[in-house]
Amino acid sequence: MRVIIEKTAEQAELRTAGIMADLVRHKPNAVLGLATGSTPVKVYRELVRQHREAELDFSQITTFNLDEYVGLGAQHPQSFRYFMQEQLFNHINIDHAATHVPDGRALDFSAHCQQYEQRILDAGGIDLQLLGIGVDGHIAFNEPGSSLGSRTRLKTLASETIRQNKKFFPGDEQVPRLALTMGVGTILETRSCLLLATGAHKASAVRSMVEGPVTAQITASALQLHREVIVIVDEEAGGWLERRDYYAEVDECHQLLETGQLRALGIGNQ
Ligand code: GLP
């Protein structure tokens, strides 16, 4: 797990968008895993900007979103499909048929979830999965206690998640209690993950994910088992990390390697 600590949320968002944009440029037919929530909003804004101003081309890109509320259709302003259309898909040259979000109004959830997994496989697997993290350490809607081998499925939301979501719905009884979500096992099979967390309210979850034990109680901690994960945080979200200095050194070395400044790393010095 590589941890990058940026000074501000804006820098963390731009760094995240930069990594995604690099992939889109180097692999124009990449398969992206996408996330919703407030955290990635500015990441999508930057991708839209690069599409408009720097010819970032999404015409061959395929996307799979992590999750969707059960009961909400694409026209519901709080559905994740609606969010993705508004924040990203409507503003870039992506083929609508190549954008996948679980269908919260599917008639047979179990069959739909199996199909979703199959579609990911048929697309060749996810190259890069963008992730956020819940304050209780969940990824997608894999609430505490979710099996670390879980696949896309129907999930009952935790009371903490429902509480957090109340602000988005006019009445308490309208807050969805169920969701369809990729499983932890599904996420672990992606080729790489990019998790973005910003703000002091995420500091505890980030610490548990990166430096705590691997446990189903903090499903993001399963990312410690993934071969290729980059965690990008701002100083607030990274504030509880004990090995902050080491992560900064690793990041500096990576940047020197990427820019070919090998001497500074003692490579090639006699
Ligand atoms: C929900 C989503 C997650 C997201 C989390 C954090 O639970 N299913 O994918 O990471 O919220 O959301 P926010 O970015 O708004 O803090």
Side-chain angles (χ1 to χ4, degrees):
M1 208 182 248
R2 180 174 161 200
V3 181
I4 296 175
I5 305 175
E6 293 286 351
K7 267 204 161 37
T8 65
E10 191 188 358
Q11 285 168 317
E13 289 150 4
L14 289 178
R15 186 101 183 242
T16 304
I19 292 172
M20 294 177 74
D22 278 351
L23 175 65
V24 171
R25 286 203 174 86
H26 287 113
K27 189 174 180 188
N29 62 348
V31 179
L32 299 179
L34 299 178
T36 52
S38 46
T39 311
V41 167
K42 290 192 183 140
V43 174
Y44 296 144
R45 196 172 295 169
E46 171 63 12
L47 292 177
V48 170
R49 190 196 66 76
Q50 292 204 27
H51 167 66
R52 286 184 178 149
E53 296 173 18
E55 293 174 4
L56 191 60
D57 177 18
F58 291 87
S59 60
Q60 297 175 64
I61 294 289
T62 299
T63 66
F64 287 91
N65 263 77
L66 288 167
D67 44 16
E68 179 61 282
Y69 289 122
V70 164
L72 304 194
Q75 305 307 323
H76 193 293
Q78 294 309 327
S79 75
F80 289 165
R81 164 57 82 174
Y82 188 94
F83 173 99
M84 290 309 304
Q85 294 299 138
E86 290 289 300
Q87 301 297 330
L88 184 66
F89 300 152
N90 288 346
H91 312 290
I92 56 175
N93 63 334
I94 197 161
D95 173 7
H96 182 81
T99 67
H100 304 88
V101 181
D103 181 0
R105 301 183 83 178
L107 293 177
D108 181 340
F109 291 127
S110 164
H112 179 67
C113 291
Q114 274 181 35
Q115 261 171 28
Y116 203 71
E117 293 265 338
Q118 191 57 48
R119 286 206 183 117
I120 295 173
L121 289 176
D122 293 347
I126 292 172
D127 290 304
L128 177 68
Q129 176 66 57
L130 177 65
L131 293 163
I133 186 168
V135 287
D136 59 3
H138 73 243
I139 41 173
F141 269 135
N142 294 288
E143 301 284 23
S146 293
S147 157
L148 299 187
S150 52
R151 316 297 313 187
T152 304
R153 69 207 182 292
L154 183 67
K155 190 75 194 156
T156 305
L157 299 180
S159 51
E160 173 59 25
T161 304
I162 294 173
R163 203 176 59 76
Q164 297 271 341
N165 287 340
K166 278 186 181 163
K167 55 183 178 288
F168 301 117
F169 292 86
D172 283 8
E173 69 292 345
Q174 290 173 35
V175 186
R177 297 177 58 199
L178 300 170
L180 300 180
T181 180
M182 277 190 207
V184 181
T186 320
I187 293 166
L188 290 179
E189 277 176 16
T190 60
R191 278 190 273 286
S192 61
C193 288
L194 185 55
L195 187 143
L196 172 66
T198 51
H201 62 303
K202 297 289 173 75
S204 165
V206 167
R207 162 87 206 274
S208 302
M209 162 179 67
V210 177
E211 296 175 343
V214 174
T215 166
Q217 298 311 314
I218 306 282
T219 51
S221 68
L223 295 174
Q224 292 177 31
L225 302 170
H226 196 294
R227 276 179 301 181
E228 197 71 42
V229 177
I230 300 180
V231 173
I232 302 185
V233 294
D234 63 355
E235 277 189 347
E236 287 187 349
W240 290 23
L241 290 168
E242 279 190 1
R243 307 190 68 221
R244 278 197 301 274
D245 293 348
Y246 178 67
Y247 307 139
E249 279 166 32
V250 173
D251 191 34
E252 193 191 324
C253 288
H254 266 276
Q255 298 207 28
L256 289 171
L257 276 173
E258 280 159 17
T259 50
Q261 297 174 63
L262 304 183
R263 283 260 165 86
L265 293 165
I267 300 171
N269 289 344
Q270 295 300 318

